[in-house]
């Protein structure tokens, strides 16, 4: 379950950042080191970082990060709204 979760996050980061993900896609990194380094390197709001820290395990952190990235992609597509 970890490898598909990792691949999904890598693909989402590639789309979000519009850059090659060769630097983050190193297969020799453990899943824990990879997802933690990725979470730390992304520009995330403090509440998002806390939500990632609160995850129980690597798979949960991958899934939460994927959700955050998906939400951000939707924001870029449809805008953040007016707040009214």
């Amino acid at each position: 379950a970890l490898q598909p979760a990792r691949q999904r996050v890598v693909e989402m980061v590639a789309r979000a950042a519009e850059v090659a993900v060769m630097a983050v896609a190193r297969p020799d990194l453990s899943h824990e080191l990879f997802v933690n380094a990725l979470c730390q390197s992304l520009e995330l709001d403090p509440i998002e970082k806390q939500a990632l820290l609160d995850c129980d395990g690597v798979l949960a952190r991958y899934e939460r990060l994927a959700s955050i990235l998906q939400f951000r992609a939707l924001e870029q597509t449809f805008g953040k709204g007016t707040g009214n």
Side-chain angles (χ1 to χ4, degrees):
L2 290 174
Q3 191 58 38
R6 180 180 185 151
Q7 187 59 38
R8 180 174 176 223
V9 168
V10 166
E11 290 169 4
M12 294 178 87
V13 168
R15 283 193 302 267
E18 296 179 1
V19 297
V21 290
M22 300 221 8
V24 297
R26 290 184 42 199
D28 59 319
L29 295 177
S30 70
H31 288 286
E32 184 174 15
L33 180 59
F34 171 79
V35 74
N36 289 343
L38 187 56
C39 289
Q40 186 177 20
S41 67
L42 294 172
E43 289 188 34
L44 301 173
D45 295 332
I47 192 83
E48 293 169 325
K49 287 186 177 191
Q50 186 61 49
L52 290 161
L53 288 172
D54 290 342
C55 291
D56 290 328
V58 177
L59 183 56
R61 190 163 293 137
Y62 271 133
E63 291 170 346
R64 178 80 44 88
L65 181 58
S67 295
I68 290 168
L69 294 173
Q70 185 175 31
F71 182 77
R72 293 232 173 159
L74 289 171
E75 277 187 337
Q76 288 179 347
T77 301
F78 298 107
K80 292 187 177 186
T82 61
N84 293 338

Coordinates of all heavy atoms in Angstrom, one line a residue:
A1 N 0.8 -1.2 0.0 CA 0.0 0.0 0.0 C 0.9 1.3 0.0 O 0.4 2.3 -0.5 CB -0.9 0.0 1.2
L2 N 2.1 1.2 0.5 CA 2.9 2.4 0.6 C 3.4 2.8 -0.8 O 3.4 4.0 -1.1 CB 4.1 2.1 1.5 CG 3.8 2.0 3.0 CD1 5.0 1.6 3.8 CD2 3.2 3.3 3.5
Q3 N 3.8 1.9 -1.6 CA 4.4 2.3 -2.9 C 3.3 3.0 -3.8 O 3.6 4.0 -4.4 CB 5.0 1.1 -3.6 CG 5.8 1.5 -4.9 CD 6.9 2.4 -4.5 OE1 7.6 2.3 -3.5 NE2 7.2 3.4 -5.4
P4 N 2.1 2.5 -3.9 CA 1.1 3.2 -4.7 C 0.8 4.6 -4.1 O 0.6 5.6 -4.8 CB -0.1 2.3 -4.6 CG 0.4 1.0 -4.4 CD 1.6 1.2 -3.5
A5 N 0.8 4.7 -2.7 CA 0.6 6.0 -2.1 C 1.7 7.0 -2.4 O 1.5 8.1 -2.7 CB 0.4 5.8 -0.6
R6 N 2.9 6.5 -2.4 CA 4.1 7.3 -2.7 C 4.0 7.8 -4.1 O 4.2 9.0 -4.4 CB 5.4 6.5 -2.5 CG 6.6 7.2 -2.8 CD 7.8 6.4 -2.5 NE 9.1 7.1 -2.7 CZ 10.2 6.8 -2.0 NH1 10.2 5.8 -1.2 NH2 11.3 7.5 -2.2
Q7 N 3.7 6.9 -5.0 CA 3.6 7.2 -6.5 C 2.5 8.3 -6.7 O 2.7 9.3 -7.4 CB 3.3 6.0 -7.3 CG 3.4 6.3 -8.8 CD 4.8 6.8 -9.2 OE1 5.8 6.4 -8.7 NE2 4.8 7.8 -10.1
R8 N 1.4 8.2 -6.0 CA 0.3 9.1 -6.1 C 0.8 10.5 -5.7 O 0.5 11.5 -6.4 CB -0.9 8.7 -5.3 CG -2.1 9.6 -5.4 CD -3.3 9.0 -4.7 NE -4.4 10.0 -4.7 CZ -5.2 10.2 -3.7 NH1 -5.0 9.6 -2.6 NH2 -6.1 11.1 -3.8
V9 N 1.5 10.6 -4.6 CA 1.9 11.9 -4.1 C 3.0 12.5 -5.0 O 2.9 13.7 -5.3 CB 2.5 11.7 -2.6 CG1 3.3 12.9 -2.2 CG2 1.4 11.4 -1.6
V10 N 3.9 11.7 -5.5 CA 4.9 12.1 -6.5 C 4.2 12.7 -7.7 O 4.6 13.8 -8.2 CB 5.9 11.0 -6.9 CG1 6.7 11.4 -8.1 CG2 6.8 10.7 -5.7
E11 N 3.2 12.1 -8.2 CA 2.5 12.6 -9.4 C 1.8 13.9 -9.1 O 1.7 14.8 -9.9 CB 1.5 11.5 -9.9 CG 2.2 10.3 -10.5 CD 1.3 9.1 -10.8 OE1 0.0 9.3 -10.5 OE2 1.8 8.1 -11.2
M12 N 1.2 14.0 -7.9 CA 0.5 15.2 -7.5 C 1.4 16.4 -7.3 O 1.1 17.5 -7.7 CB -0.4 14.9 -6.3 CG -1.5 13.9 -6.5 SD -2.4 13.6 -5.0 CE -3.6 14.9 -5.1
V13 N 2.6 16.1 -6.7 CA 3.6 17.1 -6.6 C 4.1 17.6 -7.9 O 4.2 18.8 -8.2 CB 4.8 16.7 -5.7 CG1 5.9 17.6 -5.8 CG2 4.3 16.5 -4.3
A14 N 4.2 16.7 -8.9 CA 4.7 17.0 -10.2 C 3.7 18.0 -10.9 O 4.1 18.9 -11.5 CB 4.9 15.8 -11.0
R15 N 2.4 17.6 -10.7 CA 1.4 18.5 -11.3 C 1.3 19.8 -10.6 O 1.2 20.9 -11.3 CB 0.0 17.8 -11.3 CG -0.1 16.7 -12.3 CD -1.6 16.3 -12.5 NE -2.1 15.8 -11.2 CZ -2.2 14.5 -10.9 NH1 -1.7 13.6 -11.6 NH2 -2.7 14.1 -9.7
A16 N 1.4 19.8 -9.3 CA 1.2 21.1 -8.5 C 2.4 22.0 -8.8 O 2.3 23.2 -8.9 CB 1.1 20.7 -7.1
A17 N 3.6 21.4 -8.8 CA 4.8 22.2 -8.9 C 5.2 22.5 -10.4 O 6.0 23.4 -10.7 CB 6.0 21.6 -8.2
E18 N 4.6 21.7 -11.3 CA 4.9 21.8 -12.7 C 6.4 21.7 -13.0 O 7.0 22.4 -13.8 CB 4.4 23.1 -13.3 CG 2.9 23.1 -13.3 CD 2.3 24.4 -13.9 OE1 3.0 25.2 -14.3 OE2 1.0 24.5 -13.9
V19 N 7.1 20.8 -12.2 CA 8.5 20.6 -12.4 C 8.8 19.1 -12.4 O 7.9 18.3 -11.9 CB 9.3 21.2 -11.3 CG1 9.2 22.7 -11.3 CG2 9.0 20.7 -9.9
A20 N 9.9 18.7 -12.8 CA 10.3 17.3 -12.8 C 10.5 16.9 -11.3 O 11.0 17.7 -10.5 CB 11.6 17.0 -13.6
V21 N 10.1 15.7 -11.0 CA 10.2 15.3 -9.6 C 11.4 14.3 -9.4 O 11.4 13.5 -8.4 CB 8.9 14.6 -9.1 CG1 7.8 15.7 -9.0 CG2 8.5 13.5 -10.0
M22 N 12.4 14.4 -10.2 CA 13.5 13.5 -10.1 C 14.2 13.6 -8.7 O 14.6 12.6 -8.1 CB 14.6 13.8 -11.2 CG 13.9 13.6 -12.5 SD 14.8 12.8 -13.8 CE 16.3 12.1 -13.2
A23 N 14.2 14.8 -8.1 CA 14.9 14.9 -6.8 C 14.1 14.2 -5.7 O 14.7 13.7 -4.8 CB 15.0 16.4 -6.5
V24 N 12.8 14.3 -5.8 CA 12.0 13.7 -4.7 C 11.6 12.2 -5.0 O 11.1 11.5 -4.1 CB 10.7 14.5 -4.4 CG1 11.1 15.8 -3.9 CG2 9.8 14.5 -5.6
A25 N 11.9 11.7 -6.2 CA 11.4 10.4 -6.5 C 12.5 9.4 -6.4 O 12.5 8.3 -7.0 CB 10.9 10.4 -8.0
R26 N 13.5 9.6 -5.5 CA 14.6 8.7 -5.3 C 14.0 7.4 -4.7 O 13.6 7.4 -3.6 CB 15.6 9.3 -4.4 CG 16.4 10.4 -5.1 CD 17.5 11.0 -4.2 NE 18.2 9.9 -3.5 CZ 19.0 10.1 -2.5 NH1 19.1 11.3 -2.0 NH2 19.6 9.1 -1.9
P27 N 14.1 6.3 -5.4 CA 13.6 5.1 -4.9 C 14.4 4.5 -3.7 O 13.9 3.6 -3.0 CB 13.6 4.1 -6.1 CG 14.6 4.7 -7.0 CD 14.6 6.2 -6.7
D28 N 15.6 5.0 -3.5 CA 16.4 4.4 -2.4 C 16.0 5.0 -1.0 O 16.5 4.4 0.0 CB 17.9 4.6 -2.7 CG 18.2 6.1 -2.8 OD1 17.4 6.9 -3.4 OD2 19.3 6.5 -2.3
L29 N 15.2 6.0 -1.0 CA 14.8 6.5 0.3 C 13.7 5.7 0.9 O 12.8 5.2 0.2 CB 14.3 8.0 0.2 CG 15.2 9.0 -0.3 CD1 14.5 10.4 -0.4 CD2 16.4 9.2 0.7
S30 N 13.7 5.5 2.2 CA 12.6 4.8 2.9 C 11.4 5.6 2.7 O 11.4 6.8 2.5 CB 12.9 4.5 4.3 OG 12.9 5.8 5.0
H31 N 10.2 4.9 2.8 CA 9.0 5.7 2.7 C 8.8 6.7 3.8 O 8.4 7.8 3.5 CB 7.8 4.7 2.8 CG 7.6 3.8 1.6 ND1 7.2 4.3 0.4 CD2 7.9 2.5 1.4 CE1 7.1 3.4 -0.5 NE2 7.6 2.3 0.1
E32 N 9.2 6.4 5.0 CA 9.1 7.4 6.1 C 10.0 8.6 5.8 O 9.5 9.8 6.0 CB 9.5 6.7 7.4 CG 9.3 7.6 8.6 CD 9.6 7.0 9.9 OE1 10.2 5.9 9.9 OE2 9.2 7.5 10.9
L33 N 11.2 8.4 5.4 CA 12.1 9.5 5.2 C 11.6 10.3 4.0 O 11.6 11.6 4.0 CB 13.6 9.0 4.9 CG 14.6 10.1 4.6 CD1 14.7 11.0 5.7 CD2 15.9 9.4 4.3
F34 N 11.2 9.7 2.9 CA 10.7 10.3 1.8 C 9.5 11.2 2.1 O 9.5 12.4 1.8 CB 10.3 9.3 0.7 CG 9.5 9.9 -0.5 CD1 10.2 10.6 -1.5 CD2 8.2 9.9 -0.6 CE1 9.6 11.2 -2.5 CE2 7.5 10.4 -1.6 CZ 8.2 11.1 -2.6
V35 N 8.4 10.7 2.7 CA 7.2 11.5 3.0 C 7.5 12.6 4.0 O 7.0 13.7 3.8 CB 6.0 10.6 3.4 CG1 6.2 10.1 4.8 CG2 4.7 11.3 3.2
N36 N 8.3 12.3 5.0 CA 8.7 13.4 5.9 C 9.5 14.5 5.3 O 9.2 15.7 5.6 CB 9.4 12.8 7.1 CG 8.6 11.9 8.0 OD1 7.3 12.0 7.9 ND2 9.2 11.1 8.8
A37 N 10.4 14.2 4.5 CA 11.2 15.2 3.8 C 10.4 16.0 2.8 O 10.5 17.2 2.7 CB 12.4 14.6 3.0
L38 N 9.5 15.3 2.1 CA 8.6 16.0 1.2 C 7.6 17.0 1.9 O 7.5 18.1 1.5 CB 7.8 15.0 0.4 CG 6.9 15.5 -0.7 CD1 7.7 16.3 -1.7 CD2 6.2 14.4 -1.4
C39 N 7.1 16.5 3.0 CA 6.2 17.3 3.8 C 6.9 18.6 4.3 O 6.3 19.7 4.3 CB 5.6 16.6 5.0 SG 4.4 15.3 4.6
Q40 N 8.1 18.4 4.7 CA 8.9 19.5 5.3 C 9.3 20.5 4.2 O 9.3 21.7 4.4 CB 10.2 19.0 6.0 CG 11.0 20.0 6.7 CD 12.2 19.4 7.4 OE1 12.6 18.3 7.1 NE2 12.7 20.1 8.3
S41 N 9.5 20.0 3.0 CA 10.0 20.9 1.9 C 8.9 21.7 1.2 O 9.2 22.7 0.6 CB 10.8 20.1 0.9 OG 9.9 19.2 0.2
L42 N 7.7 21.2 1.3 CA 6.6 21.9 0.7 C 6.1 23.1 1.5 O 6.2 23.1 2.7 CB 5.4 21.0 0.5 CG 5.6 19.8 -0.5 CD1 4.4 18.8 -0.4 CD2 5.8 20.3 -1.9
E43 N 5.6 24.1 0.8 CA 5.1 25.3 1.5 C 3.7 25.0 1.9 O 2.7 25.1 1.1 CB 5.1 26.5 0.5 CG 6.5 27.0 0.3 CD 6.6 28.3 -0.5 OE1 5.6 29.2 -0.3 OE2 7.5 28.5 -1.3
L44 N 3.5 24.6 3.1 CA 2.2 24.3 3.7 C 1.9 25.2 4.8 O 2.8 25.7 5.5 CB 2.2 22.8 4.2 CG 2.6 21.7 3.1 CD1 2.7 20.4 3.8 CD2 1.5 21.7 2.0
D45 N 0.6 25.4 5.0 CA 0.2 26.2 6.2 C 0.5 25.4 7.5 O 0.5 24.2 7.5 CB -1.4 26.4 6.1 CG -1.7 27.3 4.9 OD1 -0.9 28.1 4.4 OD2 -2.9 27.1 4.4
P46 N 0.6 26.2 8.6 CA 0.9 25.5 9.8 C -0.1 24.4 10.2 O 0.2 23.4 10.7 CB 0.9 26.6 10.8 CG 1.3 27.8 10.0 CD 0.7 27.6 8.7
I47 N -1.4 24.7 9.9 CA -2.4 23.7 10.3 C -2.3 22.5 9.4 O -2.5 21.4 9.9 CB -3.9 24.4 10.1 CG1 -4.9 23.5 10.8 CG2 -4.2 24.6 8.7 CD1 -5.0 23.6 12.2
E48 N -1.9 22.6 8.2 CA -1.6 21.5 7.3 C -0.4 20.6 7.8 O -0.5 19.4 7.9 CB -1.4 21.9 5.9 CG -2.6 22.5 5.2 CD -2.4 23.2 3.9 OE1 -1.3 23.8 3.7 OE2 -3.2 23.1 3.0
K49 N 0.6 21.3 8.2 CA 1.8 20.6 8.8 C 1.4 19.9 10.0 O 1.9 18.8 10.3 CB 2.9 21.6 9.0 CG 3.6 22.1 7.7 CD 4.8 22.9 8.0 CE 5.5 23.3 6.6 NZ 6.8 23.8 6.8
Q50 N 0.6 20.5 10.9 CA 0.2 19.9 12.1 C -0.6 18.6 11.8 O -0.5 17.6 12.5 CB -0.6 20.8 13.0 CG -0.9 20.2 14.4 CD 0.3 19.8 15.2 OE1 1.2 20.6 15.3 NE2 0.4 18.6 15.7
A51 N -1.5 18.7 10.8 CA -2.3 17.6 10.4 C -1.5 16.4 10.0 O -1.8 15.3 10.2 CB -3.3 18.0 9.4
L52 N -0.4 16.7 9.3 CA 0.5 15.7 8.8 C 1.3 15.1 10.0 O 1.5 13.8 10.0 CB 1.5 16.3 7.8 CG 0.9 16.6 6.4 CD1 1.8 17.6 5.7 CD2 0.6 15.4 5.6
L53 N 1.7 15.9 10.9 CA 2.3 15.4 12.1 C 1.4 14.5 13.0 O 1.9 13.5 13.6 CB 2.9 16.5 13.0 CG 4.1 17.3 12.5 CD1 4.3 18.5 13.3 CD2 5.3 16.4 12.4
D54 N 0.1 14.7 12.9 CA -0.8 14.0 13.7 C -1.2 12.6 13.2 O -1.8 11.8 13.8 CB -2.1 14.8 13.9 CG -1.9 16.0 14.8 OD1 -0.9 16.1 15.6 OD2 -2.8 16.9 14.7
C55 N -0.7 12.3 12.0 CA -1.0 11.1 11.3 C -0.4 9.9 12.0 O 0.7 10.0 12.5 CB -0.6 11.1 9.9 SG -1.5 12.2 8.8
D56 N -1.1 8.8 12.1 CA -0.6 7.6 12.7 C 0.0 6.7 11.6 O -0.7 5.9 11.0 CB -1.8 6.8 13.4 CG -2.3 7.5 14.7 OD1 -1.4 8.2 15.3 OD2 -3.5 7.4 15.0
G57 N 1.2 6.9 11.3 CA 1.9 6.0 10.4 C 2.2 6.7 9.0 O 1.6 7.7 8.7
V58 N 3.0 6.0 8.3 CA 3.5 6.6 7.0 C 2.3 6.6 6.0 O 2.2 7.6 5.2 CB 4.7 5.7 6.5 CG1 5.1 6.2 5.1 CG2 5.8 5.8 7.5
L59 N 1.6 5.5 5.9 CA 0.5 5.4 4.9 C -0.5 6.6 5.2 O -1.0 7.2 4.2 CB -0.2 4.1 4.9 CG -1.3 3.9 3.9 CD1 -0.8 4.2 2.5 CD2 -1.9 2.5 4.0
A60 N -0.9 6.8 6.4 CA -1.8 7.9 6.8 C -1.2 9.2 6.4 O -2.0 10.1 5.9 CB -2.1 7.8 8.2
R61 N 0.1 9.4 6.5 CA 0.7 10.7 6.2 C 0.7 10.8 4.6 O 0.4 11.9 4.2 CB 2.1 10.7 6.7 CG 2.7 12.1 6.6 CD 4.0 12.3 7.5 NE 3.5 12.3 8.8 CZ 4.2 11.7 9.8 NH1 5.3 11.0 9.6 NH2 3.7 11.7 11.1
Y62 N 1.0 9.8 3.9 CA 0.9 9.8 2.4 C -0.6 10.3 2.0 O -0.7 11.1 1.2 CB 1.1 8.5 1.8 CG 2.6 8.2 1.5 CD1 3.1 7.0 1.8 CD2 3.4 9.1 0.7 CE1 4.4 6.6 1.5 CE2 4.7 8.7 0.4 CZ 5.2 7.5 0.8 OH 6.5 7.2 0.4
E63 N -1.5 9.6 2.6 CA -2.9 9.9 2.3 C -3.3 11.3 2.6 O -4.0 12.0 1.9 CB -3.9 8.9 2.9 CG -3.7 7.5 2.3 CD -4.4 6.4 3.1 OE1 -4.8 6.6 4.2 OE2 -4.5 5.3 2.5
R64 N -2.9 11.8 3.8 CA -3.2 13.2 4.2 C -2.6 14.2 3.3 O -3.2 15.2 2.9 CB -2.8 13.4 5.6 CG -3.0 14.7 6.2 CD -4.4 15.0 6.7 NE -5.1 14.0 7.5 CZ -5.0 13.8 8.8 NH1 -4.3 14.6 9.5 NH2 -5.7 12.8 9.4
L65 N -1.3 13.9 2.9 CA -0.6 14.8 2.0 C -1.3 14.8 0.6 O -1.4 15.9 0.0 CB 0.9 14.4 1.9 CG 1.7 15.2 1.0 CD1 1.7 16.7 1.4 CD2 3.2 14.7 0.9
A66 N -1.7 13.7 0.2 CA -2.4 13.6 -1.1 C -3.7 14.4 -1.1 O -4.0 15.1 -2.0 CB -2.7 12.1 -1.5
S67 N -4.4 14.3 0.1 CA -5.6 15.1 0.2 C -5.3 16.6 0.2 O -6.1 17.4 -0.4 CB -6.3 14.8 1.5 OG -6.8 13.5 1.5
I68 N -4.3 17.0 0.9 CA -3.9 18.4 0.9 C -3.5 18.9 -0.5 O -4.0 20.0 -0.9 CB -2.7 18.7 1.9 CG1 -3.2 18.5 3.3 CG2 -2.1 20.1 1.7 CD1 -2.1 18.4 4.4
L69 N -2.7 18.1 -1.2 CA -2.3 18.5 -2.6 C -3.5 18.5 -3.5 O -3.6 19.4 -4.4 CB -1.3 17.6 -3.1 CG 0.1 17.6 -2.3 CD1 1.0 16.5 -2.8 CD2 0.7 19.0 -2.5
Q70 N -4.4 17.6 -3.3 CA -5.6 17.6 -4.2 C -6.5 18.9 -3.9 O -7.0 19.5 -4.8 CB -6.5 16.3 -3.9 CG -7.7 16.2 -4.8 CD -8.4 14.9 -4.6 OE1 -8.3 14.3 -3.5 NE2 -8.9 14.3 -5.6
F71 N -6.6 19.2 -2.7 CA -7.4 20.4 -2.3 C -6.7 21.7 -2.9 O -7.4 22.5 -3.4 CB -7.5 20.5 -0.8 CG -8.3 21.7 -0.3 CD1 -9.6 21.7 -0.4 CD2 -7.6 22.9 0.1 CE1 -10.4 22.8 0.0 CE2 -8.4 24.0 0.5 CZ -9.7 23.9 0.5
R72 N -5.4 21.7 -2.8 CA -4.7 22.9 -3.4 C -4.9 22.9 -4.9 O -5.0 24.0 -5.5 CB -3.2 22.8 -3.0 CG -3.0 23.0 -1.5 CD -2.0 24.0 -1.3 NE -1.9 24.3 0.1 CZ -0.8 24.9 0.5 NH1 0.2 25.2 -0.3 NH2 -0.7 25.2 1.8
A73 N -4.9 21.8 -5.5 CA -5.1 21.8 -7.0 C -6.5 22.3 -7.3 O -6.7 23.0 -8.3 CB -4.9 20.3 -7.5
L74 N -7.5 21.9 -6.5 CA -8.8 22.4 -6.8 C -8.9 23.9 -6.5 O -9.6 24.6 -7.3 CB -9.8 21.7 -5.8 CG -10.1 20.2 -6.2 CD1 -10.9 19.6 -5.0 CD2 -10.8 20.1 -7.5
E75 N -8.2 24.4 -5.5 CA -8.1 25.8 -5.3 C -7.6 26.6 -6.5 O -8.0 27.6 -6.9 CB -7.3 26.2 -4.1 CG -8.0 26.1 -2.8 CD -7.1 26.5 -1.6 OE1 -5.9 26.6 -1.7 OE2 -7.7 26.9 -0.6
Q76 N -6.5 26.0 -7.1 CA -5.9 26.6 -8.3 C -6.8 26.6 -9.5 O -6.9 27.5 -10.2 CB -4.6 26.0 -8.6 CG -3.5 26.2 -7.7 CD -2.2 25.5 -8.0 OE1 -2.2 24.6 -8.9 NE2 -1.1 25.9 -7.4
T77 N -7.6 25.5 -9.6 CA -8.5 25.4 -10.7 C -9.7 26.3 -10.6 O -10.1 27.0 -11.5 CB -8.9 23.9 -10.8 OG1 -7.8 23.1 -11.0 CG2 -9.9 23.8 -12.0
F78 N -10.3 26.3 -9.4 CA -11.6 27.0 -9.2 C -11.5 28.3 -8.4 O -12.4 29.0 -8.2 CB -12.6 26.1 -8.5 CG -12.9 24.9 -9.4 CD1 -12.4 23.6 -9.0 CD2 -13.6 25.0 -10.5 CE1 -12.7 22.5 -9.8 CE2 -13.9 23.9 -11.3 CZ -13.4 22.7 -11.0
G79 N -10.3 28.6 -7.8 CA -10.1 29.8 -7.0 C -10.4 29.5 -5.6 O -11.0 28.5 -5.2
K80 N -10.0 30.4 -4.7 CA -10.2 30.2 -3.3 C -11.6 30.6 -2.8 O -11.9 30.5 -1.7 CB -9.1 30.9 -2.5 CG -7.8 30.3 -2.7 CD -6.8 31.0 -1.8 CE -5.4 30.3 -1.9 NZ -4.5 30.8 -0.9
G81 N -12.4 31.2 -3.7 CA -13.7 31.7 -3.3 C -13.6 33.1 -2.8 O -12.5 33.7 -2.6
T82 N -14.7 33.7 -2.5 CA -14.8 35.1 -2.1 C -14.8 35.2 -0.6 O -14.5 36.3 0.0 CB -16.0 35.8 -2.7 OG1 -17.2 35.1 -2.2 CG2 -16.0 35.8 -4.2
G83 N -15.1 34.1 0.1 CA -15.2 34.2 1.6 C -16.4 34.9 2.1 O -16.6 35.1 3.3
N84 N -17.4 35.1 1.2 CA -18.7 35.8 1.6 C -19.7 34.8 2.0 O -19.9 33.8 1.6 CB -19.2 36.6 0.5 CG -18.4 37.8 0.1 OD1 -17.6 38.2 1.0 ND2 -18.5 38.3 -1.1

